[in-house]
């Protein structure tokens, strides 16, 4: 019932029993041990090793009725960090992670929230009311080690920026124009970008909220909150980014796009900037594109076996159209670049039309879409045919005109690559037919369709393994079908059953258990039987059944094979391939 008071527990073991973390037998054993030895429940539970650190902290939070905070998942406020010296944080094992200047509340995470002396000491030292939460000792020690060392720059700069704004509340536009490369706000922006480069982030989100500014990074495809800046510095930070990107700093009512270059740790990064007016101010998203980034090979991306051979056969043909499909952010463009890197030689004329150009490739004539100047995918494609091309890449088929031009180009002796937004490979032919493409033209030109998703790889520095739970084993058998037995024989060691990876978390992977990404694929070459089904305009499910009968592994099957190979986890495959 909404508004109901939280349940009060008499013992810690009651919480564990209620949460399903222990059974009645373990409950009675804890009780008996406590009566025999006089030890605390917590000490006995630790000795029994039946809970992880996180489970213990969550149970204690429920028992003593305080919040549990996962320090690996939340951002932190630099101004809160500045209030508690590193020596104090280390001595008392506390982390100041948030501050509410309006209500004068400092939020801290502790190993022992019942340490009232430390809470009282902090309240006297800071002059603020302290709100206590619980976290694990490992997370607190890691937070202190990482944040106090790494974030000294941004903490001091935020403090300076706030002081400067208190001294001089001049107009934001005028203040922004006077920001120099040495100003605190400029250093805040530099720190945000330097961390993005170091953490291999693909995007940085600067999001104004009612009380603060949230800074999130997309790392290995997952958004992670890292900073919470004071609301007062938002306008100055956005204006600094706008100046760097040559955008209008006094225009806040409409979205703007720009770009600038940044260098950190020897890496030259091209940043694409997009601003968007929101309820609490302008949101900024920065896409990071490394200039020195090498194009990965197809096996490096995750293609192997029959899927790799089928795609390579399609690439080696002199004409036809190859389509890569998947949602936004599924790595389609990267796959196309890998293919282009394979075919771009001095004897081949390769032209591309992209939006935007993400990799700069030697020997490839790359064109960027410019709709304001009338340069679209369709208009560029018409011009390409007068440029004596061998290979054409169209960034995306978005409309009927582009689809028809791409197919005509492939039918007139050109090898064409493009992308399409569909859930799977079998959905591409019906989508093309829906666009108005004639079935006989489609089957004459379409040589191969690739469906893909991108998922995170387990961190090789800290990965553990585990027995396959019964329900997981059933899922593997059901999805993999006839190949399950073959894989079982291959991955079983010394007669022992197969094991699967278990992410742990370490400093190198930022305690996530994952480091880097890999793609899962389904490659569907167009056979005579499939072409007949397309002409008959059957459903995508029927096309997929025939493709699987001809040997195609689905993305989910490919993902489960990579789980058994120890590359990723079941959770990751289900997260990206369940549709």
């Amino acid at each position: 019932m909404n508004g109901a008071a939280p349940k009060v527990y008499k013992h810690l073991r009651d919480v564990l029993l209620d949460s399903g973390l222990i059974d009645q037998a373990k409950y009675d054993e804890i009780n008996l041990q406590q009566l025999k030895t006089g030890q605390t429940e917590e000490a006995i539970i630790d000795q029994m090793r039946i809970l992880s650190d996180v489970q213990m902290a969550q149970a204690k939070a429920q028992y003593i009725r305080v919040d549990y905070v996962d320090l690996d998942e939340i951002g932190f406020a630099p101004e809160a960090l500045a209030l508690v010296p590193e020596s104090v944080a280390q001595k008392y094992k506390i982390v100041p992670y948030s501050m509410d200047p309006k209500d004068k509340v400092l939020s801290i995470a502790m190993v022992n929230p019942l340490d009232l002396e430390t809470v009282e000491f902090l309240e006297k030292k800071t002059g603020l009311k302290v709100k206590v939460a619980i976290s694990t000792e490992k997370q607190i020690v890691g937070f202190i080690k990482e944040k106090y060392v790494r974030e000294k720059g941004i903490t001091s700069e935020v403090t300076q920026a706030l002081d400067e704004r208190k001294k001089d509340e001049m107009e934001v536009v005028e203040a922004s124009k006077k920001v120099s490369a040495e100003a605190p706000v400029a250093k805040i922006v530099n720190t945000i970008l330097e961390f993005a480069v170091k953490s291999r982030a693909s995007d940085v989100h600067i999001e104004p909220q009612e009380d603060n500014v949230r800074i999130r990074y997309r790392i290995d495809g997952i958004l992670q909150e890292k900073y919470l800046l004071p609301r007062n510095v938002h306008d100055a930070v956005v204006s600094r980014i706008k100046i760097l990107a040559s955008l209008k700093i006094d225009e806040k009512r409409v979205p703007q796009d720009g770009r600038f270059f940044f260098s950190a740790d020897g890496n030259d990064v091209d940043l694409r900037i997009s601003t968007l007016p929101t309820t609490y101010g302008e949101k900024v998203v920065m896409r990071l594109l490394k200039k020195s980034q090498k194009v990965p090979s197809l096996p490096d991306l995750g293609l192997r076996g029959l899927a790799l051979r089928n795609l390579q056969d399609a690439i080696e043909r002199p004409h036809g159209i190859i389509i890569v499909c998947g949602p936004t952010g599924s790595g389609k463009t990267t796959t196309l670049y890998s293919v282009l890197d394979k075919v771009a030689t001095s004897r081949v004329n390769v032209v591309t039309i992209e939006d935007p150009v993400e990799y700069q490739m030697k020997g490839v004539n790359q064109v960027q879409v410019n709709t304001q100047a009338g340069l679209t995918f369709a208009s560029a494609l018409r011009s390409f045919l007068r440029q004596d091309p061998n290979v054409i890449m169209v960034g995306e088929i978005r409309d009927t005109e582009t689809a028809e031009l791409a197919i005509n180009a492939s039918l007139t002796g050109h090898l064409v690559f493009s992308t399409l937004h569909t859930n799977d490979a079998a959905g591409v032919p019906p989508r093309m037919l829906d666009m108005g493409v004639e079935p006989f033209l489609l089957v004459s030109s379409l040589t191969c369709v690739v469906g893909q998703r991108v998922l995170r790889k387990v961190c090789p520095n800290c990965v553990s393994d585990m027995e396959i739970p019964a329900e997981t084993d059933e899922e593997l058998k059901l999805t993999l079908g006839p190949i399950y037995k073959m894989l079982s024989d291959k991955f079983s060691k010394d007669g022992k059953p197969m094991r699967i990876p278990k992410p742990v978390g370490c400093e190198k992977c930022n305690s996530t258990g994952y480091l880097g990404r890999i793609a899962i694929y389904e490659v569907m070459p167009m056979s005579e039987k499939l072409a007949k089904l397309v002409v008959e305009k059957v459903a995508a499910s029927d096309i997929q059944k025939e493709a699987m009968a001809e040997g195609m592994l689905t993305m989910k099957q490919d993902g489960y094979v990579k789980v058994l190979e120890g590359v990723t986890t079941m959770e990751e495959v289900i997260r990206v391939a369940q549709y």
Side-chain angles (χ1 to χ4, degrees), residues 398-536:
R398 293 178 179 171
D399 51 45
T400 303
E401 186 181 12
T402 309
E404 289 176 345
L405 286 167
I407 283 177
N408 287 333
S410 69
L411 290 171
T412 53
H414 305 93
L415 184 58
V416 180
F417 301 106
S418 192
T419 70
L420 196 64
H421 288 286
T422 61
N423 282 335
D424 53 20
V428 167
R431 177 66 58 85
M432 297 285 280
L433 296 179
D434 286 344
M435 285 183 172
V437 176
E438 292 293 339
F440 69 93
L441 291 177
L442 181 61
V443 296
S444 300
S445 58
L446 189 61
T447 55
C448 188
V449 182
V450 180
Q452 70 176 87
R453 297 286 189 279
V454 175
L455 42 71
R456 295 179 294 173
K457 295 195 292 185
V458 289
C459 175
N461 304 293
C462 62
V463 65
S464 179
D465 63 6
M466 59 185 249
E467 289 183 14
I468 303 176
E471 62 273 18
T472 301
D473 198 39
E474 283 302 314
E475 168 69 10
L476 287 170
K477 284 179 182 174
L478 187 66
T479 304
L480 292 173
I483 64 170
Y484 174 84
K485 178 69 171 64
M486 180 187 71
L487 293 170
S488 179
D489 294 340
K490 181 179 179 182
F491 294 113
S492 299
K493 295 179 181 177
D494 302 323
K496 295 179 181 178
M498 296 184 290
R499 297 178 70 85
I500 56 175
K502 180 183 177 183
V504 178
C506 63
E507 286 185 15
K508 290 188 178 179
C509 63
N510 200 22
S511 300
T512 61
Y514 296 95
L515 187 66
R517 292 196 286 173
I518 195 166
I520 53 175
Y521 288 94
E522 56 186 34
V523 178
M524 186 178 80
M526 287 300 292
S527 64
E528 286 185 19
K529 287 184 179 179
L530 285 172
K532 186 180 177 185
L533 292 176
V534 171
V535 171
E536 291 171 358

